[in-house]
């Protein structure tokens, strides 16, 4: 059982957009993962936005490839942190609406805890929490730690 959360933890999801807040969340997820022999799931969601509607197909494919590469880099950064701490890490890159993909993955994989940054790259100046974090908090039954 995690002292920090008071729940039994086997799988911890860390959504990332490569922001400082996401990396801080990753570092905070690794300690309880280590103490509980849990697995960290590092996840990046490619938010294609309106690209599917306004770009030509070759531009969409190029954008998707570029975003997937960026996401693999962000999730690999978390995987390296976890590896240095002796924690197992699964990396996942998906495409879709970030909060939908985060919640669906957490439920499908039986995640016990989501550790997420207060705000990401899209809203670094918000005073409290970012829009994706707010929507995840409001829509999931999985415990969430906001860092």
């Amino acid at each position: 059982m995690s002292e920090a959360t008071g729940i039994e933890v086997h799988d911890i999801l860390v959504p990332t957009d490569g922001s400082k807040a996401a990396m801080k969340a990753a570092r905070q997820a690794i300690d309880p993962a280590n103490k509980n022999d849990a697995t960290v799931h590092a996840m990046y969601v490619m938010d294609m936005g309106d690209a599917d509607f306004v770009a030509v197909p070759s531009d969409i494919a190029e954008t998707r490839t570029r975003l997937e590469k960026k996401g693999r880099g962000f999730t690999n950064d978390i995987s390296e942190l976890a590896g240095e701490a002796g924690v197992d890490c699964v990396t996942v890159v998906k495409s879709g609406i970030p909060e939908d993909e985060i919640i669906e993955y957490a439920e499908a994989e039986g995640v016990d805890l989501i550790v997420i940054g207060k705000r990401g790259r899209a809203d670094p100046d918000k005073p409290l929490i970012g829009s994706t974090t707010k929507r995840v908090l409001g829509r999931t039954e999985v415990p969430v730690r906001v860092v």
Side-chain angles (χ1 to χ4, degrees):
M1 181 171 300
S2 170
E3 295 171 19
T5 62
I7 60 171
E8 194 164 328
V9 177
H10 299 286
D11 292 278
I12 302 172
L13 175 58
V14 181
T16 183
D17 62 356
S19 65
K20 289 179 184 178
M23 289 307 290
K24 185 176 179 182
R27 287 188 291 277
Q28 292 225 0
I30 288 170
D31 184 53
N34 195 350
K35 289 179 180 173
N36 291 281
D37 196 28
T39 299
V40 168
H41 298 250
M43 177 183 210
Y44 175 78
V45 180
M46 298 182 293
D47 186 355
M48 295 295 287
D50 294 329
D52 292 337
F53 302 106
V54 298
V56 295
S58 61
D59 291 343
I60 294 169
E62 182 180 321
T63 299
R64 185 176 299 277
T65 299
R66 187 173 33 85
L67 287 173
E68 186 169 353
K69 182 178 179 181
K70 183 168 74 168
R72 293 251 175 254
F74 294 156
T75 57
N76 286 340
D77 290 345
I78 294 172
S79 183
E80 287 177 19
L81 283 175
E84 290 168 5
V87 171
D88 290 335
C89 184
V90 174
T91 61
V92 181
V93 175
K94 293 192 165 271
S95 179
I97 299 169
E99 61 270 15
D100 291 348
E101 295 299 325
I102 292 165
I103 293 164
E104 287 174 24
Y105 182 87
E107 292 173 358
E109 296 297 318
V111 166
D112 304 299
L113 177 65
I114 299 170
V115 182
I116 191 169
K118 287 183 192 178
R119 54 196 162 275
R121 288 184 183 275
D123 43 19
D125 297 325
K126 289 211 182 246
L128 297 174
I129 62 173
S131 56
T132 299
T133 300
K134 183 177 180 179
R135 289 189 289 263
V136 168
L137 278 167
R139 293 183 39 209
T140 188
E141 298 296 318
V142 176
V144 179
R145 178 192 289 178
V146 178
V147 178

